[in-house]
Amino acid sequence: MFTLVVTNRKGGTAKTTTAVNLAAEFAKQGQRCLLIDLDNQGHSAIGLGIEPLTPDSQPQSILANGRQSLNRLLHETRYENLFFIPAGQVSEKQTLQTERLHNFLARKQLAHHFDLVVIDTPPNAGIEQTAALMSADAVVIPFLPSPLGKAGVQHLIDDMKTIPAKNNRKHIPFGLIPIMLDPRVNLDNRILSEMISMHGTEKILRGVRRNVTLAEAFDAGQPVNVFAARSRGAFDYHMLAEDIAGLWPKLLPKQNPLSFRKTAEIKALNKPAILPEPQSHRGIRLKDKCAQWNG
Ligand SMILES: Nc1ncnc2c1ncn2[C@@H]1O[C@H](COP(=O)(O)OP(=O)(O)O)[C@@H](O)[C@H]1O
Ligand SMILES: [Mg+2]
């Protein structure tokens, strides 16, 4: 099992969009994939069309105490190979502990059931982010090309050096994803070249262009590769997934044909998903046709 953490301490940098769409992309490719939301805002659930946890369903929150059984937390999604653990609030009586949450994320049971775990994190430094980073095989940091975005990424990378990396490695491997970078804007280009000289070209992953279809897909509760498979957003996340798999080949260790036994085991584990009625598919946006993909 490979654990990919999506993080940045700023809000609105497309962490959740990236976590949902990368998880959906790898699931589409046949990886048994689990998306874990550690942000108590619960946005990943919305992006998958799953009702976020209510105060009554708090015991099902991974943030509640970190000791729950997997079958209490796991949700099936409407998408093949894609499973989900929603976040939830931590009540005043509970204290979230890094070690407990990290132990949950490091459970052998997860490795038994899944090829890939993608973790979405809150927009701040804290227990959830630290526990996620301690469990990470690799981290991707989506960032907006602005001076503050650049400074925030630098802080995060500096702090990551103080967090114990999995498997006694010296540092946690990471990649940076430029989000909504516009090559016609001088400032965007300058920020990108500064990031390249600070971190090296190999750390800069394929970016995701501005594409309103990504927001529309989120609103419809669908990954973009389902909502509008031929959109620019779907193309960019498809290419980004390829880039990530190229950078960390262990992410796709073996393309085994899907084990039906394992899929059945996972299905037996989880309780019925809280899914609203399927929303209408808004179809393919013709204006997002292939010709624009290379723009
Ligand atoms: N490439 C993109 N093009 C256009 N809008 C985007 C793109 N990526 C994300 N968004 C939108 O930006 C907003 C913030 O994204 P989100 O993934 O929620 O960020 P975060 O999880 O970092 O707070 C959302 O409304 C989302 O739909
Ligand atoms: Mg988010």
Side-chain angles (χ1 to χ4, degrees):
M1 183 188 80
F2 192 94
T3 302
L4 183 70
V5 172
V6 184
T7 199
N8 188 324
R9 288 178 186 162
K10 281 176 78 67
T13 62
K15 290 181 292 300
T16 303
T17 306
T18 300
V20 167
N21 286 305
L22 280 180
E25 188 55 37
F26 286 116
K28 193 176 175 182
Q29 292 172 18
Q31 301 286 306
R32 288 181 304 265
C33 197
L34 171 65
L35 174 62
I36 301 181
D37 189 5
L38 292 186
D39 182 359
N40 64 23
Q41 297 179 97
H43 290 171
S44 287
I46 300 169
L48 288 175
I50 292 177
E51 211 68 61
L53 292 181
T54 61
D56 292 343
S57 50
Q58 284 314 305
Q60 296 168 21
S61 162
I62 186 174
L63 303 180
N65 61 36
R67 283 191 179 140
Q68 303 92 319
S69 64
L70 188 56
N71 61 356
R72 238 186 139 173
L73 299 174
L74 202 62
H75 290 252
E76 208 174 325
T77 72
R78 259 185 257 136
Y79 312 105
E80 204 177 348
N81 299 325
L82 183 56
F83 295 81
F84 180 57
I85 292 183
Q89 311 289 331
V90 186
S91 80
E92 280 171 18
K93 285 190 221 135
Q94 293 155 342
T95 42
L96 187 62
Q97 290 175 3
T98 312
E99 209 46 47
R100 252 190 225 168
L101 188 55
H102 171 242
N103 287 344
F104 179 92
L105 299 172
R107 273 187 203 185
K108 286 213 171 68
Q109 211 186 0
L110 288 184
H112 175 69
H113 288 297
F114 297 102
D115 299 316
L116 175 66
V117 172
V118 177
I119 303 181
D120 186 18
T121 56
N124 48 43
I127 284 169
E128 298 89 340
Q129 192 190 55
T130 307
L133 290 173
M134 285 165 68
S135 322
D137 287 294
V139 174
V140 287
I141 307 173
F143 71 96
L144 302 182
S146 71
L148 285 179
K150 185 185 75 170
V153 168
Q154 190 55 53
H155 273 136
L156 172 60
I157 291 170
D158 289 345
D159 287 358
M160 270 166 54
K161 291 179 185 150
T162 67
I163 292 174
K166 191 172 168 181
N167 301 331
N168 297 321
R169 281 170 316 188
K170 216 166 157 208
H171 295 306
I172 308 169
F174 70 90
L176 305 170
I177 309 171
I179 300 286
M180 295 190 252
L181 183 136
D182 185 343
R184 294 165 302 184
V185 176
N186 284 341
L187 180 64
D188 286 18
N189 283 323
R190 181 160 63 77
I191 299 282
L192 184 64
S193 52
E194 285 169 10
M195 299 287 266
I196 290 173
S197 48
M198 279 156 81
H199 305 291
T201 324
E202 72 290 349
K203 290 273 193 291
I204 312 288
L205 294 163
R206 217 175 248 269
V208 178
R209 290 165 291 176
R210 182 181 297 278
N211 183 220
V212 75
T213 312
L214 288 166
E216 290 170 348
F218 209 88
D219 187 41
Q222 294 179 348
V224 72
N225 64 7
V226 174
F227 179 78
R230 295 180 62 80
S231 64
R232 238 202 247 216
F235 179 80
D236 285 354
Y237 275 107
H238 174 79
M239 296 310 287
L240 176 62
E242 272 199 3
D243 220 17
I244 288 173
L247 190 59
W248 299 301
K250 281 192 182 151
L251 194 146
L252 301 176
K254 47 194 177 316
Q255 286 286 3
N256 282 342
L258 251 195
S259 145
F260 290 105
R261 187 179 61 80
K262 277 219 166 160
T263 308
E265 271 177 31
I266 300 170
K267 287 197 172 183
L269 251 184
N270 68 70
K271 58 190 170 326
I274 339 167
L275 293 177
E277 285 299 301
Q279 306 192 20
S280 67
H281 189 299
R282 295 192 192 170
I284 296 165
R285 288 166 56 100
L286 288 176
K287 83 176 186 57
D288 290 322
K289 55 190 186 293
C290 312
Q292 290 172 323
W293 285 354
N294 302 321

